[in-house]
Amino acid sequence: MLKKKSISAGKASLVLFLCQMISALDVPLDLSQPPTITQQSPKDYIVDPRENIVIQCEAKGKPPPSFSWTRNGTHFDIDKDAQVTMKPNSGTLVINIMNGGKAEAYEGVYQCTARNERGAAISNNIVIRPSRSPLWTKEKLEPNQVREGDSLVLHCRPPVGLPPPIIFWMDNAFQRLPQSERVSQGLNGDLYFSNVQPEDTREDYICYARFNHTQTIQQKQPISVKVFSVDSLNDTIAANLSDTDIYGAKPVTERQPVLLTPTGSTSTKVELRGNVLLLECIAAGLPTPVIRWIKEGGELPANRTFFENFKKTLKIIDVSEADSGNYKCIARNILGSAHHVISVTVKAAPYWITAPRNLVLSPGEDGTLICRANGNPKPNISWLANGVPIAIAPEDPSRKVDGDTIIFSHVQERSSAVYQCNASNEYGYLLANAFVNVLAEPPRILTPANKLYQVIADSPALLDCAYFGSPKPEIEWFKGVKGSILRGNEYVFHDNGTLEIPVAQKDSTGTYTCVARNELGKIQNEVQLEVKDPTMIIKQPEYKVIQRYGQVSFECIIKHDSTLLPTVIWLKDNNELPDDERFLVGKDNLTIMNVTDKDDGTYTCIVNTTLDSVSASAVLTVVARPNPPFDLELTGQLERSVELSWIPGDENNSPITNFVIEYEDGLHEPGVWHYQTEVPGTQTTVQLKLSPYVNYSFRVIAVNEIGRSQPSESSEQYLTKSANPDENPSNVQGIGSEPDNLVITWESLKGFQSNGPGLQYKVSWRQKDVDDEWTSVIVANVSKYIVSGTPTFVPYEIKVQALNDLGYAPEPSEVIGHSGEDLPMVAPGNVQVHVINSTLAKVHWDPVPLKSVRGHLQGYKVYYWKVQSLSRRSRRHVEKKILTFRGNKTFGMLPGLEPYSSYKLNVRVVNGKGEGPASPDKVFKTPEGVPSSPSFLKITNPTLDSLTLEWGSPTHPNGVLTSYILKFQPINNTHELGPLVEIRIPANESSLILKNLNYSTRYKFYFNAQTSVGSGSQITEEAVTIMDEAMASRQVDIATQGWFIGLMCAVALLILILLIVCFIRRNKGGKYPVKEKEDAHADPEIQPMKEDDGTFGEYRLFSFVSSAPF
């Protein structure tokens, strides 16, 4: 492996020249000139509030300029502020914050003016703002409970700082949270999950904000995410529904993409020219969608387009107006796609097309200052003279302003001044100072005489001729003292006087003369050029393979120009050689003694001269005998065979060719090892034939081309003829019987399974994810072991291994058990009730932290009971009802409520041990409903033309009664009904005398009560007006007969029994008449709630006597 690199010093010099070219307009400092700002602070200057504020303003000029400042547009008198000083011979301000000053007091817009007798230059407007890193606003973060496969967004919402913070997500161990196509951080700092998986469950999603300016990091409170699998949801739903209901959570279904951000189908984005354009699309879906970007009606710009954040972010650097347009992101998976179009408009702060340049004129000359800038929108151009708007500046007859150009004609010395051009639009401004300096000076050459230039052959040569004069001198170059003027394509003449020879050859060596002349004089200067031979590596280092502890050498023989002194440097893996006496660096080689594995790597020889540099590299591979195998394991033990397996050691850069297996007989020849067999180097297991009654131990030796490894550690011993147990106990479980213990049980082996005498069990346990080491005990042939002193309800890894006098059974599998449960500690919070209608309500609550459950979460119980009826007050027997909601459900429905009543409820979490504390009682009220039928309707005192009606109010008013409705109609002898008459009776009445009836006529009465909601069920009766007084007397006599009284008592008893049966049925969940009527009306509000999510819990009822009024 070989690579070679050469760097030409001539090319480096060309780059340096192009970056630092001396302008012909630079006026030597010994000549009078207006001020020039040479250094200033940035326009937007964010300072550390803990350190002194330094606002830079440096300028040159002759005479040396004086400095002044404005703050927020007015003069800033620094002499009146003890905290502010100006550096000597400078305009730089130092504001002392560390000795009592406050940075906030010095916020503002500052501008520096440098002035001398020839003009005044001004700085940019420097906006001073102290950095801010505010603390995170405290907020209550609710746990996020999400179904597997759903999308999720964890909001960061960092505090607003100056400058804005850098956002990243970590866990409690300060490890970055892994991100992928499925889980990634958005540009706003939020963490987006396209779909959640069970492994996303954790309680330490933490958003961090790093404020680089103040070197501080703020941390948001950890966010908890719990992902529920579909199986657990189905278990919960099945537990809450009857056998006749067919509901269930659908399996994790695949979903087509939906964009999480940005929302909608279109959006807009404005970016400034030269900035980085960042467009983002993050989508939800299952499988995880893949994002693709296109530009409508065009192509994405080549070499400036990058995709970040798993292609969710489109990044275009150095944007221009041509990048405006519609960018479409398309999120796609196997089920479909979603897209979003972002309309991008590229605006532009002002940028220079032609910035004004300093103008040096001699008296009587003409000249122009040109200030051309572009932007979007197009910037406004304004001129100032010596810091004053040119419209109000002192007039100069030689000056004429024409838009973006100032034209000077026949200038005089008094025309010297500094002009400022300001180009501005709504996105920013540019400010440039350019002076007009009227001087009459003969030429002078600023490059030192006889300066020596040295370059490598075939590289560019740059010969300087920095000059000054007014009028501007003309420059000519000659080779040799009396040579002819240089012309032609082999030379490049730069405006600053520099002569460039693009490809210097050996014959380019010599003396070069630069001549500068103007109307006031002429001057010349000579420089020397030497062209050197390039440095070359004629014998390069070569790839080497060496055995460990050997010796190796790399050669690096060079050829170079005899006048140059080369230096040779050796590197290992691009770093300095180790500080080790084994490394010997000679004149043209590198030798490594006693080579070790650490010496493996790439070695580079670098040759440097003052003019060029070359390098070459080679790789060293260190080989050795292999390391011994390890982790020997005996498996498949039989009476006459066993399988041996191992893990190969490092092959040390030389492939393993074969493994040699040896054995030791610990019974007959301890310490003596015998050849057993050998296998190819690609094999790591072997079936070994065994002899009887041998206490075997095995070891393995690896072999490669270099030699044999050291033997491995010996395997465990294996004694033939007798046998270890072949299997371990089954049905191993770990269930705590008390909060502080773990009961480990198993099904013991049968007698024939023990494979030898002395059957015992090795019981091992360790707390999952806490303990690294197992705790083990060996117990007799029993089937239970109790571990005491455990924490409450924590997971344990458990294994039970059989053993006898001959040894252990194979390594058992591990099972997970839990120590004993204890009652939950925390009540559910944020209990909310939403009343659906007069008989149905929905209750919500926040889940309790899983750590507080202290057991297997079985669900939640909602206790609710009627406190009082809002339509009347009475003492009654209170029935407290219980609904159980399985699993981690956080809402449920409360059916069978009584209308127009006040209820209380609380919620408790349930585990295998029992119930936790109750949440504070929540009071809610049901709205009015329709009333039940009047409790009775009696018709008495019949006369020829009247009947008296008496009634009782409804047993269940279910609201405020507004009236009674009485309807009646006559019935003739053929049972045909006559016309129906309706009467509305005030709610406070309990009797009514109907007059003007027909005599000896049967009437049928329909009677019901009303609330504001509507009419309740009706009660019916029939009665007859009498024919005459005798008939009425007879009717009275019949009513006093014993048989009639007995019949009425029997009827009353039957009615009482029916009422008791109805009452019992209603207490068990039966429907009273109003409920039946509501069901008959099929209230549309109730139906979708049950169908929606099946949140009716298991129903239980118990009663107690309350003294609260009803």
Side-chain angles (χ1 to χ4, degrees):
M1 181 182 295
L2 176 67
K3 62 179 182 178
K4 182 177 179 181
K5 178 174 67 175
S6 176
I7 302 173
S8 170
K11 292 181 179 178
S13 300
L14 174 60
V15 173
L16 184 63
F17 160 75
L18 294 176
C19 295
Q20 300 179 343
M21 186 182 293
I22 300 175
S23 169
L25 293 180
D26 280 352
V27 181
L29 286 177
D30 62 332
L31 299 177
S32 296
Q33 57 183 293
T36 299
I37 300 289
T38 59
Q39 191 174 2
Q40 57 183 316
S41 294
K43 292 179 182 179
D44 191 6
Y45 188 16
I46 300 175
V47 299
D48 191 332
R50 302 166 299 183
E51 298 178 355
N52 292 341
I53 301 173
V54 179
I55 312 177
Q56 292 182 328
C57 180
E58 303 292 341
K60 66 178 182 178
K62 186 169 183 182
S66 60
F67 296 88
S68 62
W69 285 86
T70 62
R71 178 185 176 194
N72 298 327
T74 59
H75 176 66
F76 183 38
D77 191 348
I78 62 175
D79 295 332
K80 293 184 178 180
D81 191 332
Q83 303 293 336
V84 182
T85 58
M86 185 183 293
K87 289 185 177 181
N89 302 317
S90 166
T92 298
L93 293 183
V94 178
I95 302 175
N96 196 332
I97 300 300
M98 303 177 69
N99 287 335
K102 292 187 177 180
E104 293 78 5
Y106 293 94
E107 284 192 68
V109 181
Y110 293 77
Q111 189 172 47
C112 170
T113 300
R115 186 185 309 275
N116 68 10
E117 62 188 30
R118 288 201 162 232
I122 61 175
S123 70
N124 291 320
N125 285 327
I126 302 169
V127 180
I128 301 296
R129 295 185 295 169
S131 63
R132 298 181 179 88
S133 52
L135 296 177
W136 225 295
T137 303
K138 289 189 176 181
E139 56 181 327
K140 182 179 180 182
L141 299 177
E142 300 295 340
N144 291 274
Q145 302 187 13
V146 196
R147 189 177 70 166
E148 180 182 355
D150 287 351
S151 61
L152 175 65
V153 181
L154 300 183
H155 297 291
C156 180
R157 300 191 183 99
V160 178
L162 183 68
I166 297 173
I167 305 301
F168 52 95
W169 290 80
M170 301 177 74
D171 59 16
N172 275 332
F174 298 102
Q175 298 298 313
R176 292 261 186 173
L177 295 175
Q179 299 191 22
S180 62
E181 287 187 340
R182 186 177 64 84
V183 183
S184 62
Q185 178 181 319
L187 295 176
N188 64 351
D190 293 345
L191 193 63
Y192 291 84
F193 295 74
S194 294
N195 52 79
V196 295
Q197 301 299 324
E199 59 265 28
D200 296 326
T201 297
R202 61 190 306 152
E203 297 181 351
D204 59 344
Y205 287 93
I206 305 174
C207 183
Y208 288 84
R210 183 173 67 225
F211 298 88
N212 284 344
H213 218 78
T214 56
Q215 298 297 309
T216 58
I217 295 178
Q218 305 290 352
Q219 172 186 339
K220 188 182 179 77
Q221 291 176 305
I223 301 175
S224 172
V225 172
K226 172 70 175 178
V227 179
F228 290 98
S229 66
V230 174
D231 291 340
S232 65
L233 286 175
N234 282 333
D235 292 343
T236 301
I237 294 172
N240 291 330
L241 296 177
S242 66
D243 294 339
T244 60
D245 295 319
I246 303 177
Y247 295 102
K250 297 180 180 178
V252 178
T253 56
E254 296 179 336
R255 295 176 288 107
Q256 68 180 29
V258 176
L259 286 174
L260 296 174
T261 182
T263 58
S265 60
T266 62
S267 60
T268 61
K269 171 83 171 181
V270 175
E271 192 53 81
L272 293 183
R273 179 181 185 271
N275 286 357
V276 176
L277 174 65
L278 293 174
L279 304 179
E280 179 183 65
C281 275
I282 301 178
L286 188 66
T288 302
V290 176
I291 304 296
R292 184 168 66 92
W293 291 89
I294 61 173
K295 183 180 182 183
E296 294 182 345
E299 298 292 333
L300 294 174
N303 304 323
R304 294 190 292 114
T305 300
F306 303 90
F307 298 98
E308 298 179 341
N309 197 18
F310 309 98
K311 293 192 175 181
K312 300 175 188 178
T313 302
L314 171 66
K315 177 180 178 181
I316 301 177
I317 63 173
D318 193 23
V319 295
S320 65
E321 289 84 348
D323 295 321
S324 295
N326 292 334
Y327 292 80
K328 178 186 285 188
C329 68
I330 303 168
R332 186 183 302 278
N333 65 12
I334 58 175
L335 298 183
S337 64
H339 70 271
H340 184 93
V341 176
I342 305 173
S343 179
V344 174
T345 301
V346 178
K347 298 291 187 179
Y351 58 92
W352 291 119
I353 296 175
T354 303
R357 298 170 61 87
N358 291 339
L359 193 59
V360 178
L361 300 174
S362 62
E365 276 193 312
D366 301 336
T368 57
L369 288 179
I370 300 175
C371 177
R372 289 179 183 158
N374 202 356
N376 186 6
K378 189 169 183 63
N380 295 320
I381 302 294
S382 61
W383 288 96
L384 298 89
N386 296 325
V388 178
I390 202 164
I392 61 175
E395 291 187 2
D396 183 350
S398 66
R399 178 183 68 209
K400 178 183 177 182
V401 179
D402 185 11
D404 58 8
T405 303
I406 301 181
I407 303 170
F408 296 93
S409 303
H410 303 290
V411 296
Q412 301 302 319
E413 186 174 355
R414 64 176 179 275
S415 300
S416 296
V418 183
Y419 291 86
Q420 290 82 32
C421 173
N422 185 303
S424 62
N425 65 12
E426 59 187 278
Y427 298 107
Y429 74 94
L430 295 172
L431 177 68
N433 289 279
F435 63 65
V436 175
N437 196 13
V438 181
L439 294 172
E441 288 291 328
R444 60 170 71 183
I445 293 179
L446 307 178
T447 300
N450 293 313
K451 183 176 180 180
L452 176 62
Y453 293 90
Q454 295 178 326
V455 298
I456 296 295
D458 296 326
S459 62
L462 300 169
L463 309 181
D464 291 337
C465 182
Y467 65 91
F468 181 78
S470 182
K472 180 179 177 181
E474 294 180 358
I475 303 298
E476 293 177 328
W477 279 93
F478 300 84
K479 185 176 181 183
V481 178
K482 297 182 180 180
S484 60
I485 188 170
L486 297 180
R487 292 187 178 89
N489 295 332
E490 56 185 310
Y491 301 103
V492 178
F493 302 96
H494 293 279
D495 289 342
N496 68 342
T498 297
L499 170 66
E500 178 183 351
I501 306 174
V503 182
Q505 302 295 331
K506 292 289 285 186
D507 58 6
S508 301
T509 299
T511 301
Y512 290 80
T513 303
C514 167
V515 177
R517 61 167 54 90
N518 67 10
E519 61 187 40
L520 300 180
K522 180 181 82 169
I523 192 172
Q524 67 181 38
N525 187 40
E526 294 179 356
V527 296
Q528 306 298 322
L529 173 63
E530 293 180 357
V531 180
K532 306 292 186 178
D533 291 324
T535 304
M536 295 183 293
I537 300 177
I538 58 176
K539 179 68 173 177
Q540 300 173 347
E542 298 177 347
Y543 172 72
K544 295 291 181 69
V545 176
I546 190 69
Q547 289 190 30
R548 187 188 297 164
Y549 310 123
Q551 176 179 317
V552 65
S553 291
F554 292 106
E555 288 186 297
C556 185
I557 301 176
I558 63 175
K559 178 183 179 182
H560 61 90
D561 191 285
S562 59
T563 63
L564 297 177
L565 180 63
T567 58
V568 179
I569 300 174
W570 287 91
L571 301 178
K572 179 181 183 294
D573 297 327
N574 293 324
N575 295 310
E576 293 183 0
L577 292 178
D579 185 11
D580 192 327
E581 61 184 9
R582 297 183 300 108
F583 289 80
L584 305 176
V585 178
K587 177 183 177 182
D588 52 11
N589 62 47
L590 168 66
T591 302
I592 307 174
M593 310 289 292
N594 196 20
V595 172
T596 67
D597 293 338
K598 293 182 180 180
D599 300 332
D600 205 282
T602 300
Y603 290 84
T604 303
C605 167
I606 301 177
V607 183
N608 294 318
T609 70
T610 55
L611 298 180
D612 63 351
S613 175
V614 292
S615 67
S617 298
V619 173
L620 172 65
T621 299
V622 179
V623 297
R625 294 185 297 172
N627 292 351
F630 59 98
D631 278 357
L632 273 65
E633 184 178 8
L634 294 177
T635 56
Q637 294 92 335
L638 299 174
E639 185 176 353
R640 295 292 185 269
S641 67
V642 69
E643 183 175 82
L644 173 66
S645 61
W646 61 90
I647 297 176
D650 194 338
E651 62 184 19
N652 293 321
N653 296 320
S654 180
I656 296 174
T657 58
N658 59 291
F659 292 99
V660 177
I661 294 90
E662 298 178 342
Y663 74 91
E664 174 197 24
D665 181 0
L667 285 178
H668 306 101
E669 294 180 288
V672 179
W673 291 91
H674 300 274
Y675 174 85
Q676 172 87 10
T677 187
E678 61 183 78
V679 296
T682 56
Q683 187 173 326
T684 58
T685 60
V686 62
Q687 192 79 18
L688 300 175
K689 293 182 179 180
L690 305 180
S691 299
Y693 197 50
V694 175
N695 194 12
Y696 280 99
S697 291
F698 299 95
R699 70 184 188 183
V700 182
I701 299 170
V703 181
N704 66 7
E705 291 184 356
I706 311 303
R708 294 162 60 102
S709 72
Q710 291 294 319
S712 69
E713 295 289 333
S714 60
S715 69
E716 61 179 296
Q717 291 184 333
Y718 178 57
L719 178 64
T720 55
K721 284 193 176 180
S722 297
N724 298 349
D726 295 327
E727 53 189 295
N728 286 302
S730 60
N731 197 23
V732 177
Q733 294 182 334
I735 302 174
S737 61
E738 298 295 335
D740 60 348
N741 74 7
L742 171 68
V743 180
I744 303 174
T745 60
W746 60 90
E747 290 186 9
S748 299
L749 296 180
K750 308 297 182 183
F752 69 90
Q753 295 174 310
S754 63
N755 287 0
L759 178 64
Q760 294 177 298
Y761 299 101
K762 179 181 179 182
V763 183
S764 303
W765 67 92
R766 65 181 179 185
Q767 190 173 339
K768 191 174 185 299
D769 299 328
V770 174
D771 296 332
D772 292 329
E773 301 295 331
W774 291 89
T775 302
S776 302
V777 297
I778 296 178
V779 298
N781 189 9
V782 295
S783 60
K784 181 173 72 172
Y785 182 79
I786 300 177
V787 180
S788 301
T790 65
T792 301
F793 192 71
V794 295
Y796 278 85
E797 295 175 309
I798 303 167
K799 57 184 180 180
V800 180
Q801 186 176 27
L803 68 151
N804 59 19
D805 292 343
L806 305 175
Y808 288 88
E811 182 69 18
S813 59
E814 301 168 9
V815 299
I816 302 298
H818 285 80
S819 56
E821 299 182 60
D822 205 345
L823 293 178
M825 298 186 297
V826 178
N830 195 23
V831 177
Q832 302 291 332
V833 180
H834 173 58
V835 177
I836 306 298
N837 56 37
S838 60
T839 62
L840 181 67
K842 186 175 185 179
V843 59
H844 296 258
W845 61 89
D846 290 343
V848 299
L850 289 179
K851 289 185 178 180
S852 70
V853 176
R854 300 202 296 180
H856 293 286
L857 175 63
Q858 295 187 353
Y860 292 86
K861 287 186 178 181
V862 178
Y863 285 72
Y864 66 103
W865 63 95
K866 179 179 174 181
V867 179
Q868 69 176 36
S869 172
L870 300 178
S871 60
R872 60 185 177 183
R873 295 182 176 272
S874 63
R875 299 171 64 88
R876 58 163 291 175
H877 187 70
V878 174
E879 299 169 354
K880 180 172 282 192
K881 302 175 182 178
I882 305 174
L883 283 176
T884 301
F885 298 92
R886 298 293 181 185
N888 204 12
K889 185 172 289 295
T890 59
F891 62 92
M893 308 302 294
L894 305 181
L897 304 177
E898 294 186 18
Y900 205 54
S901 301
S902 176
Y903 279 85
K904 287 185 178 181
L905 66 75
N906 58 53
V907 185
R908 313 174 192 198
V909 66
V910 183
N911 65 11
K913 189 73 172 180
E915 300 176 5
S919 65
D921 290 349
K922 186 75 174 182
V923 178
F924 66 96
K925 298 177 181 180
T926 54
E928 292 187 75
V930 296
S932 62
S933 61
S935 56
F936 66 88
L937 175 63
K938 295 193 300 182
I939 304 174
T940 59
N941 300 326
T943 66
L944 289 174
D945 62 350
S946 68
L947 292 171
T948 300
L949 281 69
E950 297 177 356
W951 60 86
S953 60
T955 306
H956 301 284
N958 295 334
V960 178
L961 296 181
T962 58
S963 63
Y964 293 99
I965 302 297
L966 173 65
K967 299 178 183 179
F968 62 93
Q969 58 189 153
I971 306 175
N972 61 18
N973 293 332
T974 61
H975 301 288
E976 293 177 350
L977 298 175
L980 186 65
V981 178
E982 179 177 325
I983 300 175
R984 183 177 298 272
I985 305 170
N988 58 355
E989 299 290 342
S990 61
S991 64
L992 176 68
I993 299 176
L994 283 178
K995 298 181 179 181
N996 299 322
L997 302 177
N998 297 327
Y999 69 89
S1000 188
T1001 302
R1002 177 175 293 277
Y1003 287 89
K1004 186 168 186 179
F1005 297 91
Y1006 310 88
F1007 193 67
N1008 64 337
Q1010 277 191 335
T1011 65
S1012 61
V1013 177
S1015 300
S1017 56
Q1018 61 186 11
I1019 186 171
T1020 62
E1021 286 290 346
E1022 293 185 6
V1024 182
T1025 55
I1026 64 175
M1027 181 179 298
D1028 53 30
E1029 294 295 333
M1031 183 177 294
S1033 176
R1034 186 166 55 253
Q1035 288 180 348
V1036 173
D1037 292 339
I1038 292 174
T1040 58
Q1041 296 299 312
W1043 64 270
F1044 182 80
I1045 294 173
L1047 178 61
M1048 293 298 103
C1049 289
V1051 171
L1053 180 61
L1054 180 60
I1055 292 173
L1056 179 60
I1057 293 173
L1058 290 175
L1059 288 174
I1060 293 173
V1061 171
C1062 291
F1063 180 79
I1064 293 173
R1065 282 174 55 83
R1066 189 193 62 150
N1067 286 349
K1068 292 184 176 180
K1071 301 176 180 179
Y1072 50 80
V1074 175
K1075 176 64 179 173
E1076 292 175 352
K1077 181 169 183 179
E1078 290 177 348
D1079 287 349
H1081 282 76
D1083 189 340
E1085 291 182 288
I1086 301 176
Q1087 301 305 319
M1089 292 304 298
K1090 185 173 181 181
E1091 186 176 350
D1092 181 34
D1093 51 13
T1095 51
F1096 292 101
E1098 294 179 353
Y1099 184 91
R1100 288 177 55 200
L1101 174 70
F1102 69 91
S1103 62
F1104 65 95
V1105 177
S1106 171
S1107 61
F1110 276 70

